[in-house]
Amino acid sequence: MSDKKRIAKNTFALYVRMIFVMAITLFSSRIVLEKLGVTEFGVYSSVGGVVAMLSFLNATLSTGTSRFITFELGREDSRRLRETFSTAFYTHLILALIVVLALVAGGSYFVSHKLVIPDSLQTPALWTFYISVFTAFISFTQVPYTAMIIANEKMSIYAYIGIVEACGRLGVAYAISLAPIEKLIWYAALTAGLQLTVALSYRFYCLHRYEESRFALIFKREICKKLLRFSGWNLLANVSQMLSTQGLIVLINMFFAPALAAAQAIGNQISSAMTQFSSNFMLAINPQIIKLYSKGEYEASRKLNLQTTVLVWDLMLLIGLPLIVCMNPLIHLWLVDVPDYAVIFARYIVASQIINTFSMTFYVPMIASGQLRDNSLAALLVTAVEFAVLYGLLKAGFDVMWVQYMTILVAVIFGFGVKPVILCRKIGYKVREMCRCYLQCLKSAILPIASCLITVYYINIDEKLPTAMSVGFLIICSVIFSSVLCMTKHERQKIFSLIANRIRH
């Protein structure tokens, strides 16, 4: 199968997965919030955030594992691939044990003494914390298997299991009302059981499909060193990402009631659902970018990455702008009990994710080349300053909206400053190419943003769902029109030809 056909097939599978998972996840969140209540939902999000503040190590090694497995597949070295997988598995297992010990030793004190939790929920919160630690252990040891599937570009399996997992989450949400014990503990336990089932499914598939993933007593120190060295710099970037998501939820809950933490968690869920579109698109293309780089085809890898950036930007505008404008009626349609600040938080978080398009796509060539140091150091510095400033502002009594203002500022710094400079200085990207990419993104955004501003000024859509749907459709049309208009003649011909072929067949 050609690379283009493989990308198209994998993209389709991932989007089918995404549509099901997004719809079911959002509906499940509505049920969970209704069954648990705003306070208990906020406590669950905060306690889960404490676990996630160490689980970022999992994401750190996950990126490195995926990169090295994909790299060896590109080289077509089966012996080296087996050694890489086995070493990665044992590395994750050791790290999982270390994280569990650290969380059990210090996390319980933080949950009991630092978070704002009602007295009646102190014991359920601690039990939820310990169950979340077990769930984190499962996630840690699962990473090499998921990385193997993605590196082999078997996105259909990834899609099937993802859909089953989403359906399981819906079942868990409905099962809250049948809780024989405290609802918070029951929900955490069912979630852990579902996570274990999904992990075993991935492992069963890999063990029967890929000989390299079968159990072997192989641990290569040089591979481990390379993985840890690569992941060491990626670690700093993931600390930044952790502070920007789960860290902010915990920070809010240190100064405000759990309801505001719930509002931040809801905004993160909407943002996560939105970015599934771009993430799935990138997931289908990223292995190609890395494999091209591993073969020394640097120009082709660079060209594919810049083309992907423009497409992902258009995709984020297509989804994000209608969400921002129509957020109030949509979030009231989605949730029965809407926490204070949920709408305004969600708007700011979605806006920051649109800007983060450049950070997401420009990170892929850094992974392919292994040039992570400068980005990681900048990420740690900027985000640490952001977190420290926010802590000082909130402690001084400033409004919680400063959390959102700082999030937007950091997204701008990385998307338009840190990432492009590193690509040009370290990885051979050309300033002219980068400027052309930014200019094309800017041109495609002018008309849709103007449409949003005019709409907000002349039409009141805060609580009118039919009007919101009409406005959302208008904005989507403006994004599509603007994106097609800004494409090159060759790009338009390729897309129209693809559409025509799909219609004929």
Side-chain angles (χ1 to χ4, degrees):
M1 184 184 297
S2 68
D3 290 343
K4 291 183 178 179
K5 288 183 178 180
R6 185 181 295 108
I7 290 175
K9 180 181 178 181
N10 288 336
T11 302
F12 176 77
L14 288 170
Y15 272 104
V16 170
R17 174 188 185 274
M18 178 271 302
I19 291 170
F20 275 89
V21 170
M22 182 180 67
I24 295 175
T25 299
L26 290 176
F27 187 65
S28 300
S29 299
R30 168 193 170 96
I31 298 171
V32 170
L33 181 58
E34 181 183 3
K35 301 293 184 182
L36 289 181
V38 172
T39 299
E40 290 190 66
F41 183 81
V43 169
Y44 181 83
S45 300
S46 300
V47 170
V50 173
V51 176
M53 288 181 74
L54 273 184
S55 297
F56 73 88
L57 294 170
N58 189 33
T60 298
L61 277 182
S62 174
T63 302
T65 300
S66 182
R67 187 262 185 187
F68 280 100
I69 289 177
T70 304
F71 214 86
E72 298 305 333
L73 277 173
R75 290 178 170 177
E76 300 180 353
D77 187 339
S78 58
R79 181 186 64 83
R80 187 69 171 178
L81 178 60
R82 182 179 181 84
E83 293 174 346
T84 300
F85 179 89
S86 182
T87 302
F89 172 77
Y90 288 116
T91 303
H92 277 82
L93 180 60
I94 294 170
L95 182 63
L97 294 173
I98 293 173
V99 168
V100 166
L101 291 175
L103 284 170
V104 171
S108 57
Y109 172 82
F110 187 86
V111 170
S112 299
H113 296 86
K114 296 299 180 181
L115 296 183
V116 181
I117 297 175
D119 292 339
S120 60
L121 293 177
Q122 286 288 341
T123 299
L126 277 175
W127 275 103
T128 300
F129 170 75
Y130 292 128
I131 295 171
S132 298
V133 171
F134 171 72
T135 306
F137 177 82
I138 297 171
S139 298
F140 267 81
T141 57
Q142 171 57 30
V143 167
Y145 297 95
T146 308
M148 179 66 79
I149 292 174
I150 293 175
N152 280 278
E153 301 181 64
K154 296 296 183 181
M155 303 306 177
S156 57
I157 297 301
Y158 186 70
Y160 296 148
I161 296 179
I163 292 171
V164 172
E165 181 182 4
C167 293
R169 291 190 181 281
L170 181 61
V172 167
Y174 275 112
I176 294 175
S177 58
L178 304 176
I181 54 177
E182 168 64 42
K183 289 189 293 183
L184 199 59
I185 302 174
W186 177 247
Y187 176 61
L190 290 178
T191 301
L194 176 63
Q195 185 68 40
L196 178 60
T197 302
V198 170
L200 291 175
S201 300
Y202 278 120
R203 295 182 194 203
F204 180 82
Y205 177 82
C206 286
L207 290 173
H208 284 76
R209 182 76 178 184
Y210 307 117
E211 185 178 348
E212 299 87 357
S213 66
R214 294 172 186 172
F215 181 80
L217 294 174
I218 301 174
F219 186 86
K220 294 293 183 179
R221 289 186 178 182
E222 71 275 12
I223 296 177
C224 182
K225 287 180 180 179
K226 287 182 179 179
L227 178 60
L228 293 177
R229 191 181 304 118
F230 178 92
S231 299
W233 292 117
N234 192 41
L235 168 67
L236 302 182
N238 279 284
V239 170
S240 159
Q241 180 63 29
M242 176 273 299
L243 290 175
S244 298
T245 52
Q246 299 298 332
L248 291 181
I249 294 177
V250 174
L251 182 64
I252 290 172
N253 197 199
M254 290 175 67
F255 293 97
F256 302 97
L260 282 182
Q264 180 74 14
I266 288 168
N268 286 343
Q269 286 189 358
I270 294 173
S271 172
S272 177
M274 180 189 77
T275 53
Q276 284 296 317
F277 285 87
S278 58
S279 296
N280 283 311
F281 182 75
M282 290 171 60
L283 194 62
I285 297 179
N286 288 352
Q288 291 296 323
I289 296 174
I290 297 174
K291 287 176 182 177
L292 287 171
Y293 193 94
S294 71
K295 295 176 183 177
E297 299 177 26
Y298 304 125
E299 184 177 354
S301 177
R302 186 172 67 247
K303 182 178 179 181
L304 181 58
N305 179 246
L306 292 174
Q307 289 176 339
T308 301
T309 299
V310 176
L311 291 174
V312 172
W313 169 259
D314 290 339
L315 193 57
M316 294 294 274
L317 290 178
L318 185 70
I319 304 162
L321 291 181
L323 275 176
I324 291 173
V325 174
C326 306
M327 186 66 72
N328 192 47
L330 289 177
I331 210 167
H332 279 85
L333 174 67
W334 172 34
L335 301 176
V336 175
D337 188 7
V338 180
D340 294 337
Y341 284 89
V343 174
I344 189 66
F345 278 12
R347 281 174 171 159
Y348 272 88
I349 293 171
V350 168
S352 69
Q353 282 302 320
I354 294 175
I355 301 171
N356 273 328
T357 294
F358 301 104
S359 290
M360 291 188 297
T361 57
F362 290 162
Y363 194 56
V364 180
M366 296 179 193
I367 293 172
S369 64
Q371 296 286 345
L372 300 178
R373 188 191 66 173
D374 290 0
N375 176 78
S376 299
L377 289 174
L380 181 63
L381 176 62
V382 173
T383 312
V385 171
E386 175 201 16
F387 206 74
V389 169
L390 280 175
Y391 182 87
L393 290 175
L394 296 181
K395 193 171 182 64
F398 278 69
D399 188 78
V400 70
M401 283 305 301
W402 278 93
V403 173
Q404 312 306 330
Y405 304 151
M406 292 295 291
T407 300
I408 294 287
L409 177 61
V410 169
V412 170
I413 290 172
F414 277 102
F416 297 94
V418 174
K419 297 292 175 72
V421 169
I422 294 174
L423 289 183
C424 292
R425 292 184 59 185
K426 297 290 186 179
I427 311 180
Y429 278 56
K430 300 175 183 178
V431 175
R432 182 177 64 256
E433 292 176 333
M434 299 294 297
C435 290
R436 190 183 303 122
C437 175
Y438 278 118
L439 183 60
Q440 187 169 351
C441 291
L442 175 63
K443 290 192 296 184
S444 66
I446 292 175
L447 177 61
I449 292 177
S451 301
C452 291
L453 294 175
I454 293 172
T455 299
V456 171
Y457 185 79
Y458 285 104
I459 302 176
N460 179 17
I461 59 173
D462 279 351
E463 297 180 358
K464 301 175 182 177
L465 185 60
T467 305
M469 293 177 64
S470 300
V471 169
F473 179 75
L474 176 64
I475 294 172
I476 289 172
C477 290
S478 70
V479 173
I480 294 173
F481 176 77
S482 182
S483 300
V484 173
L485 190 65
C486 293
M487 289 179 182
T488 63
K489 183 179 179 181
H490 178 65
E491 289 172 338
R492 282 197 294 268
Q493 288 176 344
K494 286 176 63 177
I495 290 179
F496 291 150
S497 175
L498 178 63
I499 294 173
N501 289 333
R502 289 292 182 186
I503 294 174
R504 284 198 295 268
H505 295 89

